[in-house]
Structures are given as C-alpha cells and as structure tokens.
Amino acid sequence: MAREFPIEKMRNFGIVAHVDAGKTTTSERVLFYTGMSHKIGEVHDGATVTDWMEQERERGITITAAAISCHWTKTMEEDRKNKDLMTTFNIIDTPGHIDFTAEVKRSMRVLDGAVVVFDGAAGVEPQTETNWGYADEAGVPRLCFVNKMDKLGADYDASIKSIHDRLSPKAVRIQLPIGKEDTLSGVVDLITMKAYRFAGTMGMDVTEEEIPADMQEEAEKWRAELIEQVVAHDDDMMEAYLGGEEPSNEDLKKVLRKAVLANEIFPVLTGSALKNIGVQLVLDAVVDYLPAPTDLPPVEGTNPKTEESIQRLPSDDEPFSALAFKLQDDKFVGQLAFFRVYSGTVQAGSYILNSSTGNKERVGRIVRLMADKREEVDEVHAGEIAAAVGIKEVKTSHTLCAESDPIVLEQITFPKPVVAVRVEPKTKNDQEKMSTALKRLADEDPTFTVSTDEETLETIIAGMGELHLDIIVDRMKREFGVEANIGAPQVAYRETIQREAEAEHKYVKQSGGRGQYGHVKIRIKPMEELATDADGEDVKVAKNVTREDHFEFIDNIKGGVIPGEFIPAVMKGAKEAMSRGFVAGYRMEDISVELFDGSYHDVDSSEVAFRLAAINAFKDAAAKAGPVILEPIMKVEVRTPEEYMGDINGNLSSKRGQVEGTEEMGGKTIVHAKVPLAELFGYTNTLRSMTQGRASMTMEFDHYDVVPPNVAEDIKKARGV
C-alpha cells in the first residue's frame, strides 16, 4: 500500500520542558490548530487529551509520554486543505518531572527533532537542562519556545541569557514578543520582518501586519544579529553579506535550516500557549527548520550473526527495521509496543524478527496513536511512529526487523533508581495479583525495578523518586485492584571498591563418587569509563572483554588452563557475589573482574564448582579492595526571595550539601547545590516553613559518591551489620 504523505513531508518531534513550563498546554493548542480536537482541554480543568491518565488529570502533571499523529498546513497558506501543502506530524508530549525522566530519554532516542518549552518568567530550569543533555546525546535538532510571556515577571531577554549561560550559546532569537505580561499581544518575525496577531476563537485567526513603529529599531537590531549568525554557515552568503548584499528571506531560511539540522543554531521563538499567541508560528518553524527522516544519516546497527556494522536508509525500499521504545498496558487491547520505523514497511498480520531475543513474532494489529485513542491501520512506513498489538516477548529497546535481513539497533540506556520502598500486599488475594501487576509495570518502565530482600523475603520496589513510587502504587490499586501497605522511602545505596586486589579460591568437594573441583585466580579493580575516539564515539572493547551495565569481565585465560565452557560460570559467580556487598549488604557496582589463572579436573570440574569458586574468590578480593558505600547525590535548585538566602544556605550546609553558586532570575535568587538524597526527605516542607511558603525547590539525580565514614557507620547499624 502506497504511503499517503511523502516521507520528506514528515516531522517526528517531541515537546519537552521542565514541569509547569507549559508543554501540555502547548500540545493541546497543537491538537486544536491541526484539527485533531475541536475543543482545547486545559490542564487546570483536568480535560487535556495528552494527559489522559487519571493520575495525570488529578495532579495536573504529565506522567507518561503521549504520542499524537496529525497534519499541518503553514499558517499563511490560503488552501489549508490541500494535501500537497500538508506536513505530517508525529508528536510526543513528554513529562517534565524528574521522576519520569525515562519517558524523555526514550522519546529522544526515536525522535528527529524537539521543541523545548521555557517558562518566560523562570528561564532554564533543572529538568530542562537534563532534557537538553538527552537531546545532545541523541544529536536531536531543537527549536526553543519561550512560553508564558503573559506571566507576571516574564522577561524574554533574561530567558535567552539563561539559555546561553546554562544550555548553549548557539540559541538565536528569530522572533520578538510584542509587549509582555498583560500587554502581550503578538510576535514579530525577524525573517519576514512582519508582526503577527492572533484573534478569533482560540487565536485561530492569524493576521500579518507591519511591525509597530516603537519596535522597528529593536527589530532591525536583532535581525542584523540573526543574519550575522546565519551567514557564518555559508561561505557564499558570507562573502556577499560582507560585500554589502543582504540575503533574501528565502536564502536566509535555507541556510538557517542547514545550521539547525547540524545543531549549529537553535532558533528561539516566543508567545503564550495559554493566551493562544504564537503556537501556529512554532508549527511553521517545525516545518521550516526541523528535519524530515530523509534529512538524517542512515540508522546504524550490527548484524546479529556476524556482528558487522550495517546501515539502513530511511526508505520504504530498504529491509524493515524498527526500535521498540515504549510498552504500555491497555485495558482494551492488552500490551501496546510503541515503535519507530527506521526503514522498510510492516503490515498488520505479518511475521517479523525480534533480533534482540532471536524470536519470530507476529504483528497482530497496528495502530496510530492519538494519546489514549487508536486508529487501526494496515501498514506503516519508514519514518513513522506507531504501536503494535500482539507482540509477546518484546521489551523496551528491542529491535524489530525483517527475518531475511536481521539488524540490532543501539539500545537505550536508562538511569538507575535512587529511592526504594517495601511493599506488602494486604490480603492473600492481593499477593497473587501483586506479582503480576509489578511485572507489567516494570516492563513498561525501565527505571522501576522489583526485587526481594534475601533476609526478610519482603518485596522492594525502587524508582526515581517518591512521586514515581506513589504513582506506581496508585496504578497498582486502580488498574490491577491490588491493595498494599507501603513502607517509608529508603535511599538506594550501592557499594563499590576503591583499589585493585587479587584472590584465589579452590573449590574442592568429595563425598563419594564424582566430586566437585573448580579453581580460579581473579583480579578486581574499579571499572574505568570507555575511552573515546577522535569522533567522540566509545572505543569498542576487546574480544576477551564482556562489558555490561556497571560490570566488566575480562577473560585472560591462556593455554586452556580453564576450559572455555567453564568461563561463563566464573562470570556468573562474580556477578552473583556482587549482588550483595560487604560493607552493609548493598549491591556492588562499577567493578572490573579479570580471570587470569586457575586449574580444572578432567572428571570432577563442573560449572557449579567454578561458579562457587568465583563467588568465594570475589568475596576474598573485595574484602582487600577497600569496599565503600555509595549514596546518590542530587542536584538541587532552590528559588527564593533574597531575604531567606542565609537561612537556606545554612540549612543546606547542615544537610551535608555543597552550595555551588547563585543567580538572579524573575525577581528571585536561584541557589544551586549538590545534596545527598538521604538528607532531602521532607525538605519541601522544611523549605516552606523557613520561607513562609515563598520558596520552591526542584531536584534531580546527579551522581553517586562515597558516604563519609561516620554516616557509613550509621547505615551499617540501621542494617544490623
């Protein structure tokens, strides 16, 4: 079946920002202006389309990324129903709260571009920085939309300065607001040098007029800066400009697009989604500057049979390849597997290969997504985003491809959980349902984990924060009917080693008949980060090195002193020994284990013997390698009136925090600090008490660091060690 819209007229982009910057409000306007909804839903009314979960509407926040497919014809085009003028949008509205950062991480992996939304009165906020970093990792071109210019304290210049200081100096304004706060009435476009006003129902009627006389000088100043920034990316245009020739608007947009695709310029637009000002022009900019799938380099992967690097072009004529980036449980159809098609086509009812597992799967049905609604389709093409029903063994990051041309695409990596709680079902009936519920929720969310305490046999769930786990428990109750008692939040501590150490263990057991014999010599040391090549890419590990998340195993056996079939058992034993640390019993991480010698017995050696030998050797080595406890350190940002600065700084210091700097924004002082998570439970209430409710705080995970000796002793006592 031929595709309805050409791939060159497709834009896959996300709307990302810090919580409360106006992402979902912007998304609702997009749905309305593209004709996908006939009424604008507002966050404060709990009536939005993209925030469709009950928990999202009750709390007024986005929890899960919502996908939307729609079409757009540029604002000033007269024939708005002409298909030849339409661009297809696949949009993902992502969460802004740090507890749901995995949704942004995986969305960035499959999107081609992003619109980053900023609060005009707050500028760059912590989660915006994190999201920007994810976009940098994925090489995603971006537009900036300084929203809420109608808000008290909104400052366009200060917002752009914060973008330059905290994100990138490559941000360049291509619009100016007409007025601000309660006088905001439109925007000036610095390329067309026209003013745009928004009237009628929900700002549907966009009119183009001359720039207000009192803004003409300012507009000319910033247009000159825009031109200087753009011509630097085209030698011929630069030469003509230096010769006194100003580029045409068409040429200016052409070179600006080239610079945006190369991540050399991030255009800045402005307006107010709530007041229906400027959103249509953001969509026009998506069409003009963000990439189509054909503007991107071929997707790279490896052949699972030969491990050779291979590429796939964004074309329907290439073999089918796609990445499953999200799972979602649907009460009507079962599990939905969201996937992005990088090449080829796939039909409903066809068979495909899950190259991550090696299993053949049948695609029962395919649906295009409209937040919580589905449009069933027979086929999807290269560049499209859809969801499949009926794929049984798929997980997040699995590659789906044609059986005849297998490929494995790069996996998505996710941050580790930092907060854990104990969960106990209230009744025996709840116990039976709880394990099913937790498994399905863990399949959906890679930052949510479930484990069992080996000593107490209690179930422990871990996530990115208290809100994250609160939502999980609430979903267990509402979606799966599970009533449970929840313990107090606990910090997800880790353990590691500080130096190199060696150990040897010979496991020998004789009890009549065949015995057990395994003998290993291992060397452990702190795991080092992978080196990078000239292009900044990770250098591939040697063939004798197995590298996993926070663990490395080096097979340095020479001359067959240990047969190859026993070496995986040694690796398994080392990993098993790391599951419970030696200081306070927490999981060990970031350790490199080298197997360099040993011996075996022709008759008595077995995988079990070598696994047990490895466990004991690792324990002996770890005891000599300076084991320590690690704790999560959070990046904290406090926004406060200046008069409370002294109290806040003193309080943060008392919590083992390190204040790293301050800045002024929107009439408040912003305090940047790094504070251990263990000291931050209940801090929001403390902050409100100190500042009469006038300060606010956000935090996100930054890194793990070694716990001070006195704190380590307290942790050990609490664990009964």
Side-chain angles (χ1 to χ4, degrees), residues 242-383:
L242 293 176
E245 182 183 337
E246 186 166 307
S248 67
N249 290 348
E250 186 178 330
D251 288 342
L252 196 62
K253 289 173 74 171
K254 183 179 177 182
V255 176
L256 177 56
R257 175 178 174 79
K258 183 177 77 171
V260 172
L261 297 185
N263 280 316
E264 292 298 328
I265 288 181
F266 303 111
V268 183
L269 302 92
T270 189
S272 167
L274 185 63
K275 298 297 183 183
N276 309 305
I277 294 174
V279 175
Q280 294 98 317
L281 301 186
V282 173
L283 299 183
D284 289 351
V286 168
V287 176
D288 288 337
Y289 306 120
L290 290 186
T294 48
D295 292 317
L296 302 172
V299 67
E300 295 192 356
T302 56
N303 186 316
K305 297 177 182 176
T306 64
E307 296 190 356
E308 291 179 334
S309 179
I310 49 179
Q311 295 183 336
R312 292 282 161 81
L313 295 168
S315 167
D316 291 352
D317 298 327
E318 290 271 296
F320 170 66
S321 67
L323 186 74
F325 66 94
K326 175 182 168 69
L327 301 182
Q328 182 174 302
D329 196 66
D330 187 290
K331 59 185 176 182
F332 299 112
V333 299
Q335 189 183 71
L336 286 169
F338 290 58
F339 63 95
R340 157 70 189 267
V341 182
Y342 285 97
S343 63
T345 61
V346 63
Q347 294 79 33
S350 63
Y351 284 89
I352 59 171
L353 175 69
N354 181 338
S355 57
S356 300
T357 63
N359 295 335
K360 181 179 175 181
E361 297 268 15
R362 183 178 181 272
V363 181
R365 293 159 57 195
I366 300 175
V367 293
R368 283 207 181 94
L369 305 145
M370 168 64 176
D372 61 334
K373 296 181 176 64
R374 322 278 179 231
E375 177 195 353
E376 197 154 334
V377 295
D378 295 326
E379 182 178 56
V380 288
H381 303 259

Side-chain angles (χ1 to χ4, degrees), residues 195-215:
Y196 295 88
R197 310 276 185 175
F198 305 83
T201 305
M202 299 299 179
M204 281 282 286
D205 301 329
V206 183
T207 56
E208 182 181 272
E209 57 189 62
E210 296 304 313
I211 296 172
D214 62 347
M215 290 189 67

Side-chain angles (χ1 to χ4, degrees), residues 15 39 70 178 200 222 269 319 323 443 454 479 531 536 642:
I15 300 178
K39 178 180 180 293
C70 52
I178 301 174
W222 290 114
L269 302 92
L323 186 74
D443 284 344
E454 293 179 3
E479 296 174 28
E642 188 176 358

Side-chain angles (χ1 to χ4, degrees), residues 202-235:
M202 299 299 179
M204 281 282 286
D205 301 329
V206 183
T207 56
E208 182 181 272
E209 57 189 62
E210 296 304 313
I211 296 172
D214 62 347
M215 290 189 67
Q216 189 70 40
E217 186 177 339
E218 181 188 10
E220 289 173 355
K221 168 193 167 186
W222 290 114
R223 176 178 166 85
E225 178 170 304
L226 169 63
I227 292 173
E228 287 179 9
Q229 294 281 346
V230 173
V231 299
H233 299 281
D234 187 279
D235 293 341

Side-chain angles (χ1 to χ4, degrees), residues 390-409:
I391 304 180
K392 296 178 181 177
E393 301 299 325
V394 68
K395 304 287 185 189
T396 299
S397 272
H398 280 185
T399 300
L400 310 175
C401 61
E403 291 181 78
S404 56
D405 293 275
I407 185 174
V408 178
L409 303 177

